[in-house]
Amino acid sequence: HEADAYRTDLMTITRFVLNEQSKYPESRGDFTILLSHIVLGCKFVCTAVNKAGLAKLIGLAGETNVQGEEQKKLDVLSNEVFVKALVSSGRTCILVSEEDEEATFVERSKRGRYCVVFDPLDGSSNIDCGVSIGTIFGIYMVKDDHEPTLDDVLQPGKHMLAAGYCMYGSSCTLVLSTGEGVNGFTLDPSLGEFILTHPDIKIPKKGKIYSVNEGNAKNWDAPTAKYVEKCKFPKDGSSPKSLRYIGSMVADVHRTLLYGGIFLYPADKKSPNGKLRVLYEVFPMSFLMEQAGGQAFTGKQRALDLIPEKIHERSPIFLGSYDDVEEIKELYAAEV
Ligand code: AHG
Ligand code: MN
Ligand code: MN
Ligand code: MN
């Protein structure tokens, strides 16, 4: 009836985080201010992505990044927007982006205590064909008040204070954890606000979907090959799993989080460390999975225990429903 049309207790992402942070008496709102600048970047990228085709924003920028990938115009644009928004927040001191070879050390006058690692546009190969893409971010606190160094961002994922992603798809959905569970917010374009739509997301303990690029099967190691074989030809008479692979990590992870299942980007003979980058793809998604009751494994260890040595370091990753990841952990353990 009428009242529903105009709900008055709008739980925006800013209000939600303020509520959460109010539990910490010492918090001075710095994190909320930082988050509001990340949200601003996501809103900008959302509008740019939605009119990419019209605004001639598709196609290549004519540059290649440190990953050796041809940068898309939206890669470069999104990166610039996030770097400027984060620096102007006055709450950051080091930024690591997939699109910048070196870390950005914020000038002293604008320096804060947070280090942000981010993938400004994930799934770039899908931009021109209109498939969902996203932004991924993780937030560390500097280790101490000394002059910031790379050591402040080369921390294990378990030291992250927060992590999240924004998916630019049929709707613009921001999924966030500050270490107390996972919550999803959907952009209401008429308000320009992210409204809480998925409170307290928990991933199903076991799923019926596996998500991997089967095109790399020739180069997989034995445990991965055995696990995928089990998904397709289960020995215990259960029905085979479905394969869903979008090729944008954000979209594949979002589906896994909501529906359950397992997402794999394994090592292979060509790339022994897999393809996904530890700081701004593996860690944030692993953080979210653990917070939602799932788990994340590198083939050797718990993903969040990994200590990166380089800011663009890669790692194999198996993440998703607790029981599904447990199965592949057993296969790797048997291999040792
Ligand atoms: P990015 O577009 O930020 O470089 O990331 C692309 C990643 C990730 O989104 C996805 O899971 C993976 O690349 C897909 O890789 P393949 O095409 O090798 O399967
Ligand atoms: Mn890329
Ligand atoms: Mn990416
Ligand atoms: Mn990217």
Side-chain angles (χ1 to χ4, degrees):
H1 60 286
E2 185 55 31
D4 290 350
Y6 291 96
R7 289 192 53 194
T8 51
D9 61 339
L10 290 174
M11 182 50 83
T12 65
I13 189 166
T14 307
R15 196 177 141 201
F16 185 87
V17 170
L18 266 176
N19 286 353
E20 273 195 344
Q21 297 302 312
S22 60
K23 289 174 204 143
Y24 306 103
E26 80 283 357
S27 91
R28 299 189 304 269
D30 289 336
F31 180 80
T32 306
I33 289 169
L34 171 65
L35 190 83
S36 66
H37 285 78
I38 292 174
V39 165
L40 174 68
C42 292
K43 289 180 189 173
F44 176 89
V45 174
C46 180
T47 50
V49 164
N50 286 347
K51 62 185 177 209
L54 299 171
K56 303 223 179 320
L57 273 173
I58 57 181
L60 299 178
E63 313 279 330
T64 55
N65 62 13
V66 63
Q67 330 282 341
E69 303 164 335
E70 289 182 305
Q71 285 179 306
K72 301 288 177 92
K73 289 178 192 147
L74 267 179
D75 275 329
V76 175
L77 180 73
S78 311
N79 187 48
E80 281 170 18
V81 164
F82 277 105
V83 169
K84 286 178 181 157
L86 290 167
V87 170
S88 68
S89 76
R91 296 319 188 271
T92 61
C93 65
I94 306 178
L95 307 178
V96 170
S97 163
E98 181 209 352
E99 300 305 332
D100 290 328
E101 183 162 1
E102 305 299 335
T104 299
F105 288 83
V106 179
E107 56 176 294
R108 190 178 294 280
S109 66
K110 287 206 173 299
R111 204 175 278 173
R113 296 176 300 157
Y114 295 109
C115 306
V116 184
V117 294
F118 62 102
D119 178 356
L121 205 66
D122 173 71
S124 312
S125 63
N126 282 322
I127 294 174
D128 296 2
C129 64
V131 169
S132 297
I133 51 183
T135 296
I136 311 170
F137 61 90
I139 301 171
Y140 291 108
M141 176 78 83
V142 285
K143 282 180 162 172
D144 53 41
D145 294 342
H146 298 153
E147 190 62 18
T149 69
L150 279 186
D151 284 348
D152 290 302
V153 284
L154 294 174
Q155 300 188 51
K158 63 188 168 191
H159 290 173
M160 280 190 174
L161 298 179
Y165 60 80
C166 190
M167 187 173 77
Y168 312 108
S170 50
S171 64
C172 180
T173 304
L174 199 155
V175 172
L176 173 73
S177 174
T178 60
E180 295 166 45
V182 180
N183 291 281
F185 304 83
T186 303
L187 182 64
D188 175 340
S190 68
L191 289 175
E193 291 284 358
F194 280 98
I195 305 294
L196 179 66
T197 47
H198 298 71
D200 197 21
I201 300 175
K202 290 292 174 212
I203 183 170
K205 197 161 177 305
K206 191 161 179 43
K208 303 187 177 66
I209 298 170
Y210 74 105
S211 184
V212 68
N213 182 341
E214 289 260 11
N216 298 330
K218 190 163 73 71
N219 300 316
W220 288 338
D221 62 21
T224 292
K226 273 187 202 135
Y227 179 76
V228 173
E229 189 68 10
K230 244 166 76 68
C231 292
K232 300 189 318 195
F233 304 97
K235 297 261 180 311
D236 59 5
S238 59
S239 46
K241 291 185 192 284
S242 290
L243 169 60
R244 291 283 183 277
Y245 193 71
I246 302 168
S248 291
M249 186 183 198
V250 169
D252 281 317
V253 165
H254 190 59
R255 184 208 52 251
T256 304
L257 193 61
L258 296 185
Y259 295 1
I262 186 168
F263 171 81
L264 311 85
Y265 207 107
D268 67 38
K269 295 191 189 73
K270 280 183 310 170
S271 22
N273 284 330
K275 170 182 183 179
L276 298 178
R277 281 56 58 111
V278 171
L279 278 183
Y280 42 80
E281 290 172 322
V282 172
F283 279 169
M285 297 314 206
S286 300
F287 185 97
L288 289 167
M289 279 299 164
E290 288 200 1
Q291 286 291 317
Q295 58 175 327
F297 176 62
T298 66
K300 293 193 175 73
Q301 60 181 352
R302 175 193 179 217
L304 292 183
D305 286 343
L306 190 65
I307 300 178
E309 281 151 28
K310 293 237 177 312
I311 59 172
H312 297 297
E313 185 172 311
R314 300 166 191 258
S315 169
I317 183 68
F318 308 92
L319 56 77
S321 292
Y322 192 90
D323 292 355
D324 295 339
V325 178
E326 204 55 29
E327 279 183 36
I328 200 156
K329 278 167 70 176
E330 284 155 15
L331 288 168
Y332 271 96
E335 190 73 15
V336 169

